[in-house]
Amino acid sequence: MSVVEAWPTPPLSRRIALAATMFLVSAVFGFLQPFVPLYLRASGMSLTEVGLVSCAGAALALLGQPLLGRLSDRWDSRRPLMVVAAISAGLAYLGYRGAEGALAFTALTCIGVNGTLYLNAVGGVLVGRMVGAARGGRAYAGYRVWGSVGYIVVALLAGALLAERGGDRLGRADLDPVFTYGPLLFFVIAAVSLFVPDRRSEAPPPSAPDAGGRAALPEALRWFLAAYFLYQFGLYGASAYLGIFMKDLGAGPMWITKMFAAGVVCEVLVMTQVGRFADTYGRRPVLALAFVLMPLRLLCYIPAQSPGWVVAVQTLHGLNFGIVGALAVVLVNDLAGERERGVAQARLFSVAGLAAALGPALCGWIAERWGIGAMFAAMSAVGAAGAALFLARVPESLPGARALPGWRALMGRHSR
């Protein structure tokens, strides 16, 4: 598949708007990731029920994300859908405070998850329009790093807010301020997204769909999505319970948010360098490191006896999301056509949404029956399967990537 030439560089104001949007989109995870499971738990749900509510978003994601991707490709415009996604997600998470019962939380979570997934996916499409494959890694990482900064800021602010309001109790009333102020960020996203660079394509229309009515995916991309599913399933299935795990170890809200923020600080440091490295040596060697490290990291949580141990292990998240969070999007841009990137990125984030929903459901069931240690071990095995599949089946996607000395086996054959 040929690489489409990059667009002329957009005006500075448009590029600032894109950086601000990515800052804000990741910033919302600074309150969602640590506190949605805790809020559901504080609302009287068991670990299994927490997982099932999280899982419910997957069904809608499987239908909604590819549809949104195809619609944005057909319109050749992302801004209108970004506004709708941001407003719907903001209203959904604001609704948490008035929700009662699993059904209400499930409906709100489905809407919120799909809005945030689309906002995550669209950033990769917009950056892919601005640069060619030769600079795709450094360009996306350069924008995405602002998202990591946003996450750190909001996570620490949320922790400070709870420490002041509720101390270490973390009851539902103590957590309410997070879902009063946090969702307001989505409305800011809706306003800023009106100014992101979203130039129309001059490329041919998307390739013909397959018999199932979907745009055909390259074989290499299908294998990557399978490996990526296992990776996301193991990592984010277990990560959904880290806040509860920290609370069981005696951590207060500031410890919990510092734990998540510690990984993201490391992530920022990695992401500032990984794009340039991947544009020189290819996507596969760096992604292989993240895939192999993740199951080992999950095993390291098991012996934890104090919150400090968990915080130390969580810093390894920088070598997971700092790599995969940037380069998974870049690899998909490498493989997808100019007018098919919306669909391809939507499928990537649909896979992520499915894994991040099904993983917590299974993890809650395992943790309730055999303990959180058994959950970490099981998800480590899932992650190891994903790493094996990646190493065996996913080739290099960057034309002309240089082989690392002594690491030629990791380069693999070229995908095209």
Side-chain angles (χ1 to χ4, degrees):
M1 187 177 295
S2 63
V3 178
V4 177
E5 291 296 322
W7 294 117
T9 303
L12 178 61
S13 60
R14 298 287 190 188
R15 286 179 280 146
I16 291 174
L18 179 56
T21 300
M22 298 186 83
F23 174 97
L24 292 164
V25 169
S26 292
V28 300
F29 287 94
F31 78 89
L32 293 177
Q33 187 180 42
F35 296 113
V36 164
L38 286 172
Y39 197 83
L40 297 176
R41 186 76 161 141
S43 299
M45 298 184 186
S46 67
L47 290 176
T48 301
E49 289 171 331
V50 170
L52 289 175
V53 170
S54 301
C55 176
L60 190 57
L62 284 175
L63 297 173
Q65 293 303 303
L67 176 62
L68 291 173
R70 284 196 294 272
L71 190 60
S72 67
D73 283 342
R74 180 167 298 179
W75 289 352
D76 202 13
S77 179
R78 276 85 196 166
R79 290 179 196 150
L81 292 174
M82 291 174 71
V83 172
V84 171
I87 291 174
S88 63
L91 292 174
Y93 288 117
L94 276 175
Y96 263 37
R97 288 196 58 179
E100 295 293 341
L103 183 60
F105 278 113
T106 298
L108 293 171
T109 301
C110 284
I111 297 170
V113 165
N114 272 269
T116 53
L117 279 178
Y118 181 77
L119 292 169
N120 267 275
V122 78
V125 179
L126 295 174
V127 175
R129 287 291 185 87
M130 292 164 50
V131 298
R135 294 189 298 116
R138 73 191 75 176
Y140 182 76
Y143 280 100
R144 180 57 185 79
V145 73
W146 289 106
S148 300
V149 174
Y151 183 106
I152 294 168
V153 170
V154 171
L156 293 177
L157 286 175
L161 176 64
L162 293 182
E164 178 183 339
R165 297 292 186 94
D168 295 344
R169 293 173 295 154
L170 293 180
R172 178 168 175 170
D174 304 316
L175 292 167
D176 275 343
V178 172
F179 293 94
T180 300
Y181 303 111
L184 300 180
L185 290 171
F186 284 103
F187 302 105
V188 182
I189 293 170
V192 175
S193 65
L194 293 171
F195 302 97
V196 298
D198 191 21
R199 182 174 177 177
R200 292 185 178 275
S201 175
E202 297 173 358
S207 59
D210 60 22
R214 300 166 297 180
L217 290 179
E219 180 183 6
L221 186 50
R222 292 198 298 269
W223 282 117
F224 176 71
L225 291 178
Y228 184 71
F229 173 82
L230 294 172
Y231 175 94
Q232 296 283 100
F233 189 101
L235 178 57
Y236 291 103
S239 295
Y241 295 90
L242 282 176
I244 295 172
F245 185 45
M246 286 282 283
K247 185 181 177 185
D248 290 345
L249 292 174
M254 279 305 297
W255 263 110
I256 293 171
T257 54
K258 285 178 182 177
M259 181 261 302
F260 283 104
V264 182
V265 169
C266 184
E267 170 189 313
V268 169
L269 299 176
V270 171
M271 203 173 282
T272 57
Q273 302 300 320
V274 72
R276 187 178 301 274
F277 185 92
D279 285 344
T280 302
Y281 296 103
R283 323 311 188 195
R284 178 179 158 89
V286 202
L287 284 167
L289 172 63
F291 270 80
V292 170
L293 175 66
M294 189 276 284
L296 299 176
R297 169 188 158 194
L298 293 185
L299 292 177
C300 290
Y301 288 116
I302 296 175
Q305 298 295 318
S306 68
W309 179 285
V310 180
V311 172
V313 176
Q314 184 67 12
T315 60
L316 294 175
H317 187 67
L319 290 171
N320 287 140
F321 192 85
I323 294 172
V324 176
L327 295 189
V329 171
V330 173
L331 183 144
V332 170
N333 275 342
D334 287 348
L335 296 172
E338 176 72 16
R339 291 291 297 269
E340 297 167 336
R341 283 180 177 151
V343 171
Q345 294 291 352
R347 290 188 184 178
L348 176 72
F349 281 87
S350 292
V351 166
L354 177 64
L358 295 179
L362 178 61
C363 285
W365 183 79
I366 293 173
E368 205 148 53
R369 282 155 181 77
W370 295 291
I372 284 185
M375 177 201 74
F376 284 128
M379 293 304 101
S380 176
V382 172
L389 184 59
F390 177 86
L391 292 172
R393 304 298 302 189
V394 179
E396 179 55 59
S397 67
L398 179 66
R402 291 166 52 187
L404 284 166
W407 292 83
R408 292 184 182 277
L410 275 184
M411 297 301 293
R413 65 176 176 85
H414 196 275
S415 63
R416 298 175 193 247

